[in-house]
Structures are given as C-alpha cells and as structure tokens.
C-alpha cells in the first residue's frame, strides 16, 4: 500500500506543478511586456521616434502635437537613417508620414503605445488623427 500512496502523492504533486506552469509563463510574459515598454524612453506628452529597434539607438522626441518636418531637429533623420521604432506618450493617436507637410501617410500609433516599424522609411512629419 505504501507504494500506491507514494505514487498517488507524486501524481498529485506533479499535477499541481503543471497547473502552476502557465501562470508562471503568463507572469513572465507580462514582465517582458513591461520591460519592453520601459525600454522606450519617451517623456509623457511626447511622440518619440528611434533609429533602432525596441526604442534603441538615437531618440528624437517632440512635445508638439504636430511636426511638418521632423528633419528640422532630428539628427538621425538629417543623416538619412530610417525610423525603426516609435512610442506615443501623448493622449491621442498620432499619424505619421514619409514626406514633409503630412503627405504619404504610412501609419499611426494609438496613445500610450508603440513598437517596431518595418524600418525601411523615415517619418518626415506627424500629426494627431
């Protein structure tokens, strides 16, 4: 009987351990998401663009709700580098364009969100949606 009892106890322990596995994974994923958001250094109220993936590289940020020409004060755009990631810390969705003066819309990002882009274009202007 002791062998059967030990087997039952071991089975219950194993089942209990498996039941907590997904919870740990979900916690890890949430932690990774929070870490990703923390990687995007963007001051509240600003729209930020980055020369590298995941908010890395050179950052340009604007507190203005719209910018007709980002090259006016963004060094990596002036050097011809593409935008690889964005973060929108404003209170509104931001639309962005590959040309100055709000021409050739390429995308938009909701308030409080961001992430990686295709990385094969520059954001040359932006405004609220």
């Amino acid at each position: 009987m002791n062998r059967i009892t030990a087997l039952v106890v071991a089975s219950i322990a194993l089942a209990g351990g498996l039941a907590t596995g997904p919870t740990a994974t979900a916690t890890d994923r949430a932690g990774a998401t929070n870490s990703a958001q923390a990687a995007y250094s963007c001051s509240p109220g600003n729209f930020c663009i980055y020369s590298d993936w995941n908010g890395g590289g050179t950052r340009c940020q604007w507190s203005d709700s719209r910018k007709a020409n980002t090259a006016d004060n963004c060094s990596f755009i002036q050097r011809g580098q593409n935008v690889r990631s964005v973060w929108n810390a404003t209170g509104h969705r931001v639309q962005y364009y590959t040309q100055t003066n709000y021409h050739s819309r390429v995308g938009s990002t909701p308030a409080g969100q961001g992430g990686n882009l295709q990385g094969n274009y520059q954001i040359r202007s932006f405004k609220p949606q």
Side-chain angles (χ1 to χ4, degrees):
M1 285 291 206
N2 283 341
R3 288 181 119 176
I4 294 173
T5 304
L7 182 59
V8 170
V9 170
S11 296
I12 292 171
L14 180 60
L18 292 175
T20 61
T23 304
T25 303
T27 302
D28 290 345
R29 286 185 183 149
T33 300
N34 291 338
S35 297
Q37 290 175 355
Y40 289 86
S41 173
C42 189
S43 301
N46 286 276
F47 177 65
C48 299
I49 62 175
Y50 305 87
S51 64
D52 206 352
W53 311 112
N54 302 313
T58 303
R59 176 193 71 193
C60 295
Q61 69 175 357
W62 295 271
S63 60
D64 305 337
S65 64
R66 62 182 58 236
K67 186 73 173 168
N69 187 357
T70 59
D72 287 345
N73 56 355
C74 182
S75 62
F76 78 87
I77 295 291
Q78 292 170 357
R79 290 191 303 270
Q81 289 180 273
N82 291 332
V83 177
R84 296 224 163 89
S85 55
V86 300
W87 192 264
N88 180 3
T90 71
H92 55 269
R93 179 180 285 273
V94 173
Q95 295 183 109
Y96 31 92
Y97 304 81
T98 59
Q99 295 181 13
T100 60
N101 298 310
Y102 322 109
H103 295 286
S104 297
R105 182 176 181 262
V106 69
S108 68
T109 301
Q113 294 184 28
N116 291 329
L117 303 176
Q118 272 186 304
N120 62 353
Y121 57 85
Q122 292 185 335
I123 293 177
R124 293 301 306 269
S125 57
F126 65 87
K127 68 179 181 177
Q129 183 171 10

